[in-house]
Amino acid sequence: LIPVHRYSLYHDDFIISRSLLNPITTLPAIILVSGITFLSLKYRKKYPIIAFGILWFLIGHSMESTILNLEIAWEHRNYLPSVGLIFSLTYAACNILYSSERIPPIGKYKFAFPIFIIFLLFLVTRSLASIWGNPESYSQYNLKIHPNSCNANNMRAHRLRMINGDAKEIYSHYLKCATLENREVSGLINMRKITEQLLYLARENQIETIIPDSFSSPNWYSELHLNTIYLTSLNEALDREIESRLAQFPVGGLFSAT
């Protein structure tokens, strides 16, 4: 709910909990959510609106918090569950501002709070629209905020391909994605496309190549170099890695998000 990683489309670099203490925030989070759930159920008759909002939020997220192999986080998953929290927080704020005898009457300023919230949302939307409306700045923005996101690296690589960017830079983003996600093959396939295209151009003498014997046999995660022998070996290494991943993770490899 809180944009800890700031506003962005991709959050696949979110740290996954592997045990109660890995990362250290896992156990406190479990205690906090369990405590909030318990209190909401216990006081549901005394504070029905607040309990409803909290439980709506938790149930809304529980629908996607299952054993199904979904990507860890997307902002749009907050939209419907957040309605419950916003509803209950608004109700509580209105009670405090307009019903409490300990607070002096606010009279003509009673609309100040909702106007402030609307203005705040307007500022956030405006700042995001200026970035999201430009494909170039948007791809750079996502990568800057989430450098270890496979999706952000894929987006930047696709954008560079659209504007005929540097092949080595494009390749490096696909390589980063393939290194980060050992179950996906889209990055490897895109790397293979680039090496095949460069190999064709090298054989046709349309690009400058490097002396052959200056490189050893590459692995699939090796850097890109413009050399026909090197590129041929790199293609073979990529093919082996693609086959290995598809054999080990057939569903994850075929249906990975890009």
Side-chain angles (χ1 to χ4, degrees):
L1 179 64
I2 301 174
V4 178
H5 297 284
R6 290 175 287 177
Y7 297 98
S8 173
L9 180 62
Y10 302 123
H11 301 274
D12 52 303
D13 56 347
F14 195 89
I15 299 176
I16 299 175
S17 296
R18 304 294 181 182
S19 68
L20 290 177
L21 298 176
N22 181 25
I24 194 64
T25 54
T26 304
L27 184 58
I30 292 175
I31 295 174
L32 178 62
V33 173
S34 300
I36 291 175
T37 305
F38 172 77
L39 292 175
S40 299
L41 293 172
K42 181 178 181 179
Y43 294 103
R44 66 187 185 278
K45 293 183 178 180
K46 187 175 182 180
Y47 305 106
I49 302 298
I50 296 177
F52 167 79
I54 295 174
L55 292 174
W56 176 283
F57 178 81
L58 295 175
I59 293 172
H61 275 293
S62 68
M63 295 174 66
E64 295 191 73
S65 303
T66 66
I67 60 173
L68 297 178
N69 188 23
L70 303 175
E71 287 206 34
I72 188 64
W74 289 93
E75 283 188 11
H76 67 263
R77 294 178 184 171
N78 265 321
Y79 295 167
L80 186 58
S82 294
V83 172
L85 286 185
I86 295 171
F87 182 69
S88 59
L89 289 175
T90 303
Y91 173 82
C94 288
N95 270 350
I96 294 173
L97 292 174
Y98 308 133
S99 302
S100 177
E101 296 180 355
R102 291 173 295 179
I103 300 178
I106 56 179
K108 62 181 180 180
Y109 301 108
K110 63 182 178 181
F111 296 112
F113 178 70
I115 291 175
F116 170 75
I117 296 298
I118 293 173
F119 180 70
L120 182 63
L121 293 174
F122 164 76
L123 292 179
V124 173
T125 303
R126 184 178 183 277
S127 64
L128 289 177
S130 63
I131 298 174
W132 288 42
N134 186 308
E136 178 65 20
S137 63
Y138 183 48
S139 64
Q140 293 178 354
Y141 172 79
N142 277 292
L143 187 62
K144 181 180 179 180
I145 295 178
H146 299 283
N148 292 322
S149 163
C150 179
N151 287 329
N153 277 278
N154 259 334
M155 169 181 274
R156 183 58 185 157
H158 292 334
R159 174 59 187 168
L160 289 171
R161 291 180 71 174
M162 291 178 63
I163 61 175
N164 296 320
D166 181 68
K168 287 189 175 182
E169 184 179 356
I170 297 171
Y171 188 88
S172 67
H173 289 302
Y174 286 136
L175 175 58
K176 182 72 173 289
C177 179
T179 304
L180 289 168
E181 299 288 345
N182 64 352
R183 295 191 176 196
E184 72 93 38
V185 296
S186 64
L188 294 169
I189 293 174
N190 285 312
M191 291 162 63
R192 184 67 168 77
K193 291 178 180 179
I194 294 174
T195 56
E196 189 63 36
Q197 183 180 16
L198 292 175
L199 186 59
Y200 171 79
L201 295 175
R203 288 170 177 169
E204 295 294 321
N205 296 319
Q206 296 184 30
I207 57 175
E208 184 179 354
T209 58
I210 305 173
I211 301 174
D213 55 3
S214 60
F215 302 104
S216 58
S217 180
N219 295 307
W220 71 266
Y221 48 81
S222 299
E223 294 182 354
L224 184 64
H225 295 289
L226 303 181
N227 172 271
T228 53
I229 297 177
Y230 182 90
L231 288 172
T232 301
S233 299
L234 183 56
N235 277 346
E236 295 173 354
L238 288 170
D239 288 340
R240 289 193 296 270
E241 181 63 19
I242 291 172
E243 292 174 0
S244 174
R245 292 191 182 190
L246 287 176
Q248 189 174 5
F249 310 109
V251 176
L254 289 173
F255 296 99
S256 60
T258 58

